[in-house]
Amino acid sequence: HIPLRRPDTAQRIGEHSPSGRVPVLLTDLGPVWDSLAIGEYLAECFPEAHLWPRGEYARAVARSVCAEMHSGFAALRTHLPMDLQRQAPLERIPDEAQVDIRRVCALWQHCRQHFGADGPFLFGHASLADAFYAPVAARFHSYQVGLPDEAAAYVATVYQWPAFQRWYRAALQETETI
């Protein structure tokens, strides 16, 4: 556990992460320091978990939506920062964040319509794509963003996901603030 935004934070993270950034997964063989690489590593280590959806095209789309989340949505991140304790809308969501919100909803709709027949997650069963978008679902919930019905249903699915519930409860128990 390394508290953020402290005088020794960078030095302490650097002891574990070659990039000096988080997340980092510490393995017996060494660190894996990028969220996409961490996902790929875990999918390879645990193939029985089907962390990527079945089917070459579904996996390619899942990787695409994860990559878009990984590198995009700067306005959403800036104007709706992660705050799991918040339960109130913003007075006004800036236009550039609205663009990001619409794009996320379109991505979710595409995934659900084309790949979600086998369950309530983006690709039917829970996958790495859902892990990448769970923080976005949390932002939409925290800021009470008005969403299309299908996107709102997906947010509800994320909040019912046992893995998310464990993470959410643990986060709410943290006493540190940034």
Side-chain angles (χ1 to χ4, degrees), residues 81-96:
M82 191 63 124
D83 184 352
L84 293 175
Q85 294 185 358
R86 182 186 178 100
Q87 295 297 316
L90 289 176
E91 190 172 306
R92 181 184 167 283
I93 297 176
D95 292 342
E96 62 270 22

Side-chain angles (χ1 to χ4, degrees), residues 29-100:
L29 299 173
V32 181
W33 60 90
D34 175 86
S35 56
L36 284 170
I38 290 167
E40 291 286 359
Y41 177 82
L42 293 173
E44 290 176 9
C45 287
F46 303 99
E48 70 282 358
H50 299 287
L51 297 178
W52 289 119
R54 291 173 179 88
E56 291 83 7
Y57 184 64
R59 282 193 299 278
V61 172
R63 286 180 172 108
S64 295
V65 300
C66 287
E68 189 168 349
M69 178 65 247
H70 184 261
S71 63
F73 307 117
L76 177 64
R77 296 172 200 261
T78 298
H79 297 291
L80 286 79
M82 191 63 124
D83 184 352
L84 293 175
Q85 294 185 358
R86 182 186 178 100
Q87 295 297 316
L90 289 176
E91 190 172 306
R92 181 184 167 283
I93 297 176
D95 292 342
E96 62 270 22
Q98 290 282 6
V99 169
D100 284 355

Side-chain angles (χ1 to χ4, degrees), residues 140-157:
F140 289 171
H141 182 268
S142 294
Y143 290 91
Q144 300 175 357
V145 175
L147 299 170
D149 290 344
E150 190 166 273
Y154 176 68
V155 170
T157 292

Side-chain angles (χ1 to χ4, degrees), residues 104-115 122 150-151:
V104 168
C105 290
L107 281 172
W108 290 357
Q109 180 181 20
H110 176 81
C111 293
R112 293 285 309 129
Q113 285 180 347
H114 294 277
F115 307 103
L122 294 176
E150 190 166 273

